[in-house]
Amino acid sequence: MTKINTKAYGEIFVDDRQIFEFPEGILGFEYIKQFAFLDSDDEKSPFKWLQAIDEPDLAFVIINPADFLNTYELHVAQSEYEAIKAKKSDELLVYAIVTIPDNPSEMTANLQGPIILNPTNNIGRQAISISDKYHVKHRILDEMNKNEKNEG
């Protein structure tokens, strides 16, 4: 167990299996190499936290793209898998960084730069999607509403 300071929960203990090494950091934060993967307080919430270990004020809200876009498929170059020592996508946890503006109904997810986590070795990376159907600002609630209409 490791004690960390977090933006959302203050000082907490996390299991070492929740800590991921990001050898190249995250775009704009290349100097930060360790993040803790945290669940939200609400078990039903699709949102999680990616908390910087050494920077308590730096945490990203993340979401699994499949939770709001049921047709989502990870499309990244083989070199992205190799960078985190994985062979295929079903070995990975895949998330997108969420941006929450003043009007939360307009929140977006970055599907162009997915966060890929290899839970077998705890290496993470912000990858680059090679699909042209995903955007940096993909509107989460719009996609959820489309899914509901298609199911209803």
PDB file of all heavy atoms in Angstrom, residues 52-80:
ATOM      1  N   ALA A  52      -2.122  11.919 -10.489  1.00  0.00           N
ATOM      2  CA  ALA A  52      -0.658  11.995 -10.471  1.00  0.00           C
ATOM      3  C   ALA A  52      -0.175  11.715  -9.052  1.00  0.00           C
ATOM      4  O   ALA A  52      -0.693  12.294  -8.095  1.00  0.00           O
ATOM      5  CB  ALA A  52      -0.190  13.370 -10.937  1.00  0.00           C
ATOM      6  N   ILE A  53       0.812  10.844  -8.915  1.00  0.00           N
ATOM      7  CA  ILE A  53       1.321  10.470  -7.597  1.00  0.00           C
ATOM      8  C   ILE A  53       2.048  11.638  -6.935  1.00  0.00           C
ATOM      9  O   ILE A  53       1.853  11.911  -5.758  1.00  0.00           O
ATOM     10  CB  ILE A  53       2.270   9.251  -7.694  1.00  0.00           C
ATOM     11  CG1 ILE A  53       1.516   8.024  -8.226  1.00  0.00           C
ATOM     12  CG2 ILE A  53       2.943   8.951  -6.361  1.00  0.00           C
ATOM     13  CD1 ILE A  53       0.462   7.459  -7.325  1.00  0.00           C
ATOM     14  N   ASP A  54       2.884  12.339  -7.677  1.00  0.00           N
ATOM     15  CA  ASP A  54       3.721  13.397  -7.097  1.00  0.00           C
ATOM     16  C   ASP A  54       3.120  14.792  -7.181  1.00  0.00           C
ATOM     17  O   ASP A  54       3.733  15.753  -6.723  1.00  0.00           O
ATOM     18  CB  ASP A  54       5.097  13.399  -7.776  1.00  0.00           C
ATOM     19  CG  ASP A  54       5.851  12.103  -7.520  1.00  0.00           C
ATOM     20  OD1 ASP A  54       5.692  11.531  -6.417  1.00  0.00           O
ATOM     21  OD2 ASP A  54       6.588  11.666  -8.415  1.00  0.00           O
ATOM     22  N   GLU A  55       1.941  14.919  -7.773  1.00  0.00           N
ATOM     23  CA  GLU A  55       1.278  16.219  -7.929  1.00  0.00           C
ATOM     24  C   GLU A  55      -0.173  16.084  -7.469  1.00  0.00           C
ATOM     25  O   GLU A  55      -1.052  15.779  -8.274  1.00  0.00           O
ATOM     26  CB  GLU A  55       1.312  16.669  -9.396  1.00  0.00           C
ATOM     27  CG  GLU A  55       2.690  16.871  -9.975  1.00  0.00           C
ATOM     28  CD  GLU A  55       3.263  18.220  -9.626  1.00  0.00           C
ATOM     29  OE1 GLU A  55       2.497  19.137  -9.271  1.00  0.00           O
ATOM     30  OE2 GLU A  55       4.487  18.362  -9.701  1.00  0.00           O
ATOM     31  N   PRO A  56      -0.465  16.308  -6.194  1.00  0.00           N
ATOM     32  CA  PRO A  56      -1.831  16.100  -5.687  1.00  0.00           C
ATOM     33  C   PRO A  56      -2.899  16.890  -6.434  1.00  0.00           C
ATOM     34  O   PRO A  56      -4.048  16.446  -6.504  1.00  0.00           O
ATOM     35  CB  PRO A  56      -1.749  16.557  -4.231  1.00  0.00           C
ATOM     36  CG  PRO A  56      -0.312  16.464  -3.873  1.00  0.00           C
ATOM     37  CD  PRO A  56       0.462  16.710  -5.130  1.00  0.00           C
ATOM     38  N   ASP A  57      -2.553  18.034  -6.996  1.00  0.00           N
ATOM     39  CA  ASP A  57      -3.547  18.851  -7.690  1.00  0.00           C
ATOM     40  C   ASP A  57      -3.777  18.435  -9.129  1.00  0.00           C
ATOM     41  O   ASP A  57      -4.614  19.029  -9.821  1.00  0.00           O
ATOM     42  CB  ASP A  57      -3.155  20.330  -7.643  1.00  0.00           C
ATOM     43  CG  ASP A  57      -3.298  20.895  -6.240  1.00  0.00           C
ATOM     44  OD1 ASP A  57      -4.122  20.378  -5.466  1.00  0.00           O
ATOM     45  OD2 ASP A  57      -2.569  21.852  -5.913  1.00  0.00           O
ATOM     46  N   LEU A  58      -3.041  17.426  -9.605  1.00  0.00           N
ATOM     47  CA  LEU A  58      -3.204  16.994 -10.994  1.00  0.00           C
ATOM     48  C   LEU A  58      -3.884  15.625 -11.038  1.00  0.00           C
ATOM     49  O   LEU A  58      -3.318  14.617 -10.619  1.00  0.00           O
ATOM     50  CB  LEU A  58      -1.857  16.912 -11.717  1.00  0.00           C
ATOM     51  CG  LEU A  58      -1.953  16.444 -13.171  1.00  0.00           C
ATOM     52  CD1 LEU A  58      -2.752  17.428 -14.016  1.00  0.00           C
ATOM     53  CD2 LEU A  58      -0.573  16.235 -13.757  1.00  0.00           C
ATOM     54  N   ALA A  59      -5.112  15.635 -11.515  1.00  0.00           N
ATOM     55  CA  ALA A  59      -5.865  14.393 -11.694  1.00  0.00           C
ATOM     56  C   ALA A  59      -6.745  14.560 -12.922  1.00  0.00           C
ATOM     57  O   ALA A  59      -7.278  15.640 -13.177  1.00  0.00           O
ATOM     58  CB  ALA A  59      -6.706  14.091 -10.468  1.00  0.00           C
ATOM     59  N   PHE A  60      -6.866  13.497 -13.679  1.00  0.00           N
ATOM     60  CA  PHE A  60      -7.714  13.502 -14.869  1.00  0.00           C
ATOM     61  C   PHE A  60      -8.945  12.650 -14.587  1.00  0.00           C
ATOM     62  O   PHE A  60      -8.837  11.552 -14.049  1.00  0.00           O
ATOM     63  CB  PHE A  60      -6.968  12.903 -16.070  1.00  0.00           C
ATOM     64  CG  PHE A  60      -5.756  13.671 -16.476  1.00  0.00           C
ATOM     65  CD1 PHE A  60      -4.495  13.253 -16.073  1.00  0.00           C
ATOM     66  CD2 PHE A  60      -5.860  14.810 -17.255  1.00  0.00           C
ATOM     67  CE1 PHE A  60      -3.359  13.956 -16.453  1.00  0.00           C
ATOM     68  CE2 PHE A  60      -4.730  15.527 -17.629  1.00  0.00           C
ATOM     69  CZ  PHE A  60      -3.479  15.096 -17.226  1.00  0.00           C
ATOM     70  N   VAL A  61     -10.112  13.161 -14.967  1.00  0.00           N
ATOM     71  CA  VAL A  61     -11.313  12.342 -14.978  1.00  0.00           C
ATOM     72  C   VAL A  61     -11.220  11.521 -16.257  1.00  0.00           C
ATOM     73  O   VAL A  61     -10.926  12.055 -17.340  1.00  0.00           O
ATOM     74  CB  VAL A  61     -12.592  13.205 -14.976  1.00  0.00           C
ATOM     75  CG1 VAL A  61     -13.831  12.338 -15.111  1.00  0.00           C
ATOM     76  CG2 VAL A  61     -12.659  14.053 -13.716  1.00  0.00           C
ATOM     77  N   ILE A  62     -11.462  10.212 -16.140  1.00  0.00           N
ATOM     78  CA  ILE A  62     -11.383   9.333 -17.312  1.00  0.00           C
ATOM     79  C   ILE A  62     -12.636   8.468 -17.384  1.00  0.00           C
ATOM     80  O   ILE A  62     -13.340   8.288 -16.383  1.00  0.00           O
ATOM     81  CB  ILE A  62     -10.114   8.450 -17.282  1.00  0.00           C
ATOM     82  CG1 ILE A  62     -10.039   7.609 -16.009  1.00  0.00           C
ATOM     83  CG2 ILE A  62      -8.856   9.307 -17.460  1.00  0.00           C
ATOM     84  CD1 ILE A  62      -8.866   6.624 -15.963  1.00  0.00           C
ATOM     85  N   ILE A  63     -12.901   7.958 -18.584  1.00  0.00           N
ATOM     86  CA  ILE A  63     -14.056   7.096 -18.820  1.00  0.00           C
ATOM     87  C   ILE A  63     -13.668   6.045 -19.852  1.00  0.00           C
ATOM     88  O   ILE A  63     -12.884   6.328 -20.772  1.00  0.00           O
ATOM     89  CB  ILE A  63     -15.282   7.922 -19.293  1.00  0.00           C
ATOM     90  CG1 ILE A  63     -16.554   7.065 -19.358  1.00  0.00           C
ATOM     91  CG2 ILE A  63     -15.007   8.602 -20.622  1.00  0.00           C
ATOM     92  CD1 ILE A  63     -17.837   7.868 -19.607  1.00  0.00           C
ATOM     93  N   ASN A  64     -14.206   4.852 -19.683  1.00  0.00           N
ATOM     94  CA  ASN A  64     -14.024   3.817 -20.699  1.00  0.00           C
ATOM     95  C   ASN A  64     -14.904   4.217 -21.885  1.00  0.00           C
ATOM     96  O   ASN A  64     -16.119   4.389 -21.715  1.00  0.00           O
ATOM     97  CB  ASN A  64     -14.455   2.461 -20.130  1.00  0.00           C
ATOM     98  CG  ASN A  64     -14.289   1.333 -21.124  1.00  0.00           C
ATOM     99  OD1 ASN A  64     -14.429   1.507 -22.324  1.00  0.00           O
ATOM    100  ND2 ASN A  64     -14.005   0.167 -20.600  1.00  0.00           N
ATOM    101  N   PRO A  65     -14.336   4.384 -23.084  1.00  0.00           N
ATOM    102  CA  PRO A  65     -15.146   4.824 -24.230  1.00  0.00           C
ATOM    103  C   PRO A  65     -16.359   3.929 -24.507  1.00  0.00           C
ATOM    104  O   PRO A  65     -17.404   4.415 -24.934  1.00  0.00           O
ATOM    105  CB  PRO A  65     -14.166   4.790 -25.397  1.00  0.00           C
ATOM    106  CG  PRO A  65     -12.833   4.957 -24.764  1.00  0.00           C
ATOM    107  CD  PRO A  65     -12.932   4.253 -23.439  1.00  0.00           C
ATOM    108  N   ALA A  66     -16.244   2.641 -24.235  1.00  0.00           N
ATOM    109  CA  ALA A  66     -17.365   1.725 -24.474  1.00  0.00           C
ATOM    110  C   ALA A  66     -18.546   2.012 -23.558  1.00  0.00           C
ATOM    111  O   ALA A  66     -19.676   1.598 -23.848  1.00  0.00           O
ATOM    112  CB  ALA A  66     -16.900   0.285 -24.313  1.00  0.00           C
ATOM    113  N   ASP A  67     -18.329   2.755 -22.470  1.00  0.00           N
ATOM    114  CA  ASP A  67     -19.416   3.098 -21.560  1.00  0.00           C
ATOM    115  C   ASP A  67     -20.363   4.147 -22.139  1.00  0.00           C
ATOM    116  O   ASP A  67     -21.480   4.309 -21.645  1.00  0.00           O
ATOM    117  CB  ASP A  67     -18.877   3.603 -20.216  1.00  0.00           C
ATOM    118  CG  ASP A  67     -18.348   2.477 -19.346  1.00  0.00           C
ATOM    119  OD1 ASP A  67     -18.638   1.296 -19.635  1.00  0.00           O
ATOM    120  OD2 ASP A  67     -17.625   2.779 -18.382  1.00  0.00           O
ATOM    121  N   PHE A  68     -19.924   4.890 -23.155  1.00  0.00           N
ATOM    122  CA  PHE A  68     -20.827   5.869 -23.761  1.00  0.00           C
ATOM    123  C   PHE A  68     -20.924   5.726 -25.274  1.00  0.00           C
ATOM    124  O   PHE A  68     -21.799   6.313 -25.892  1.00  0.00           O
ATOM    125  CB  PHE A  68     -20.432   7.311 -23.380  1.00  0.00           C
ATOM    126  CG  PHE A  68     -19.151   7.800 -23.990  1.00  0.00           C
ATOM    127  CD1 PHE A  68     -19.145   8.456 -25.208  1.00  0.00           C
ATOM    128  CD2 PHE A  68     -17.945   7.602 -23.329  1.00  0.00           C
ATOM    129  CE1 PHE A  68     -17.958   8.905 -25.761  1.00  0.00           C
ATOM    130  CE2 PHE A  68     -16.763   8.060 -23.872  1.00  0.00           C
ATOM    131  CZ  PHE A  68     -16.769   8.707 -25.091  1.00  0.00           C
ATOM    132  N   LEU A  69     -20.051   4.942 -25.863  1.00  0.00           N
ATOM    133  CA  LEU A  69     -20.045   4.745 -27.321  1.00  0.00           C
ATOM    134  C   LEU A  69     -19.917   3.242 -27.557  1.00  0.00           C
ATOM    135  O   LEU A  69     -18.815   2.699 -27.594  1.00  0.00           O
ATOM    136  CB  LEU A  69     -18.871   5.508 -27.944  1.00  0.00           C
ATOM    137  CG  LEU A  69     -18.731   5.455 -29.462  1.00  0.00           C
ATOM    138  CD1 LEU A  69     -19.937   6.113 -30.130  1.00  0.00           C
ATOM    139  CD2 LEU A  69     -17.455   6.148 -29.897  1.00  0.00           C
ATOM    140  N   ASN A  70     -21.070   2.578 -27.680  1.00  0.00           N
ATOM    141  CA  ASN A  70     -21.025   1.116 -27.715  1.00  0.00           C
ATOM    142  C   ASN A  70     -20.372   0.536 -28.967  1.00  0.00           C
ATOM    143  O   ASN A  70     -20.109  -0.657 -29.018  1.00  0.00           O
ATOM    144  CB  ASN A  70     -22.417   0.515 -27.458  1.00  0.00           C
ATOM    145  CG  ASN A  70     -23.469   1.020 -28.409  1.00  0.00           C
ATOM    146  OD1 ASN A  70     -23.167   1.628 -29.422  1.00  0.00           O
ATOM    147  ND2 ASN A  70     -24.721   0.780 -28.061  1.00  0.00           N
ATOM    148  N   THR A  71     -20.077   1.359 -29.951  1.00  0.00           N
ATOM    149  CA  THR A  71     -19.381   0.881 -31.152  1.00  0.00           C
ATOM    150  C   THR A  71     -17.876   1.154 -31.090  1.00  0.00           C
ATOM    151  O   THR A  71     -17.164   0.911 -32.064  1.00  0.00           O
ATOM    152  CB  THR A  71     -19.948   1.560 -32.416  1.00  0.00           C
ATOM    153  OG1 THR A  71     -19.781   2.985 -32.286  1.00  0.00           O
ATOM    154  CG2 THR A  71     -21.417   1.221 -32.615  1.00  0.00           C
ATOM    155  N   TYR A  72     -17.391   1.644 -29.950  1.00  0.00           N
ATOM    156  CA  TYR A  72     -15.972   2.017 -29.844  1.00  0.00           C
ATOM    157  C   TYR A  72     -15.060   0.808 -30.023  1.00  0.00           C
ATOM    158  O   TYR A  72     -15.292  -0.260 -29.460  1.00  0.00           O
ATOM    159  CB  TYR A  72     -15.672   2.671 -28.492  1.00  0.00           C
ATOM    160  CG  TYR A  72     -14.204   3.046 -28.364  1.00  0.00           C
ATOM    161  CD1 TYR A  72     -13.720   4.197 -28.972  1.00  0.00           C
ATOM    162  CD2 TYR A  72     -13.307   2.221 -27.694  1.00  0.00           C
ATOM    163  CE1 TYR A  72     -12.388   4.533 -28.888  1.00  0.00           C
ATOM    164  CE2 TYR A  72     -11.966   2.551 -27.606  1.00  0.00           C
ATOM    165  CZ  TYR A  72     -11.511   3.705 -28.214  1.00  0.00           C
ATOM    166  OH  TYR A  72     -10.173   4.025 -28.145  1.00  0.00           O
ATOM    167  N   GLU A  73     -14.017   1.010 -30.818  1.00  0.00           N
ATOM    168  CA  GLU A  73     -12.956   0.019 -30.980  1.00  0.00           C
ATOM    169  C   GLU A  73     -11.624   0.745 -30.917  1.00  0.00           C
ATOM    170  O   GLU A  73     -11.464   1.795 -31.544  1.00  0.00           O
ATOM    171  CB  GLU A  73     -13.063  -0.699 -32.324  1.00  0.00           C
ATOM    172  CG  GLU A  73     -14.298  -1.558 -32.467  1.00  0.00           C
ATOM    173  CD  GLU A  73     -14.392  -2.211 -33.845  1.00  0.00           C
ATOM    174  OE1 GLU A  73     -13.391  -2.173 -34.604  1.00  0.00           O
ATOM    175  OE2 GLU A  73     -15.460  -2.733 -34.160  1.00  0.00           O
ATOM    176  N   LEU A  74     -10.682   0.179 -30.191  1.00  0.00           N
ATOM    177  CA  LEU A  74      -9.354   0.767 -30.091  1.00  0.00           C
ATOM    178  C   LEU A  74      -8.602   0.523 -31.396  1.00  0.00           C
ATOM    179  O   LEU A  74      -8.472  -0.616 -31.836  1.00  0.00           O
ATOM    180  CB  LEU A  74      -8.592   0.143 -28.922  1.00  0.00           C
ATOM    181  CG  LEU A  74      -7.182   0.672 -28.687  1.00  0.00           C
ATOM    182  CD1 LEU A  74      -7.221   2.139 -28.255  1.00  0.00           C
ATOM    183  CD2 LEU A  74      -6.466  -0.170 -27.638  1.00  0.00           C
ATOM    184  N   HIS A  75      -8.159   1.597 -32.027  1.00  0.00           N
ATOM    185  CA  HIS A  75      -7.356   1.506 -33.252  1.00  0.00           C
ATOM    186  C   HIS A  75      -6.071   2.294 -33.036  1.00  0.00           C
ATOM    187  O   HIS A  75      -6.065   3.518 -33.154  1.00  0.00           O
ATOM    188  CB  HIS A  75      -8.111   2.096 -34.450  1.00  0.00           C
ATOM    189  CG  HIS A  75      -9.308   1.305 -34.859  1.00  0.00           C
ATOM    190  ND1 HIS A  75      -9.234   0.095 -35.504  1.00  0.00           N
ATOM    191  CD2 HIS A  75     -10.629   1.554 -34.697  1.00  0.00           C
ATOM    192  CE1 HIS A  75     -10.447  -0.372 -35.727  1.00  0.00           C
ATOM    193  NE2 HIS A  75     -11.315   0.496 -35.236  1.00  0.00           N
ATOM    194  N   VAL A  76      -5.012   1.578 -32.669  1.00  0.00           N
ATOM    195  CA  VAL A  76      -3.709   2.216 -32.472  1.00  0.00           C
ATOM    196  C   VAL A  76      -2.652   1.376 -33.178  1.00  0.00           C
ATOM    197  O   VAL A  76      -2.858   0.189 -33.443  1.00  0.00           O
ATOM    198  CB  VAL A  76      -3.353   2.388 -30.974  1.00  0.00           C
ATOM    199  CG1 VAL A  76      -4.345   3.327 -30.281  1.00  0.00           C
ATOM    200  CG2 VAL A  76      -3.287   1.071 -30.249  1.00  0.00           C
ATOM    201  N   ALA A  77      -1.519   1.998 -33.455  1.00  0.00           N
ATOM    202  CA  ALA A  77      -0.421   1.298 -34.117  1.00  0.00           C
ATOM    203  C   ALA A  77       0.155   0.203 -33.218  1.00  0.00           C
ATOM    204  O   ALA A  77       0.079   0.300 -31.985  1.00  0.00           O
ATOM    205  CB  ALA A  77       0.676   2.298 -34.487  1.00  0.00           C
ATOM    206  N   GLN A  78       0.742  -0.800 -33.830  1.00  0.00           N
ATOM    207  CA  GLN A  78       1.357  -1.894 -33.081  1.00  0.00           C
ATOM    208  C   GLN A  78       2.417  -1.368 -32.123  1.00  0.00           C
ATOM    209  O   GLN A  78       2.598  -1.898 -31.031  1.00  0.00           O
ATOM    210  CB  GLN A  78       1.961  -2.919 -34.050  1.00  0.00           C
ATOM    211  CG  GLN A  78       2.516  -4.155 -33.386  1.00  0.00           C
ATOM    212  CD  GLN A  78       1.480  -4.961 -32.612  1.00  0.00           C
ATOM    213  OE1 GLN A  78       0.321  -5.034 -32.995  1.00  0.00           O
ATOM    214  NE2 GLN A  78       1.893  -5.557 -31.502  1.00  0.00           N
ATOM    215  N   SER A  79       3.087  -0.296 -32.485  1.00  0.00           N
ATOM    216  CA  SER A  79       4.130   0.268 -31.625  1.00  0.00           C
ATOM    217  C   SER A  79       3.563   0.749 -30.292  1.00  0.00           C
ATOM    218  O   SER A  79       4.274   0.757 -29.280  1.00  0.00           O
ATOM    219  CB  SER A  79       4.852   1.415 -32.340  1.00  0.00           C
ATOM    220  OG  SER A  79       3.925   2.445 -32.657  1.00  0.00           O
ATOM    221  N   GLU A  80       2.282   1.138 -30.257  1.00  0.00           N
ATOM    222  CA  GLU A  80       1.642   1.554 -29.001  1.00  0.00           C
ATOM    223  C   GLU A  80       1.526   0.358 -28.054  1.00  0.00           C
ATOM    224  O   GLU A  80       1.766   0.479 -26.859  1.00  0.00           O
ATOM    225  CB  GLU A  80       0.263   2.159 -29.260  1.00  0.00           C
ATOM    226  CG  GLU A  80       0.252   3.340 -30.216  1.00  0.00           C
ATOM    227  CD  GLU A  80       0.699   4.649 -29.601  1.00  0.00           C
ATOM    228  OE1 GLU A  80       1.281   4.676 -28.501  1.00  0.00           O
ATOM    229  OE2 GLU A  80       0.450   5.687 -30.241  1.00  0.00           O
TER     230      GLU A  80
END
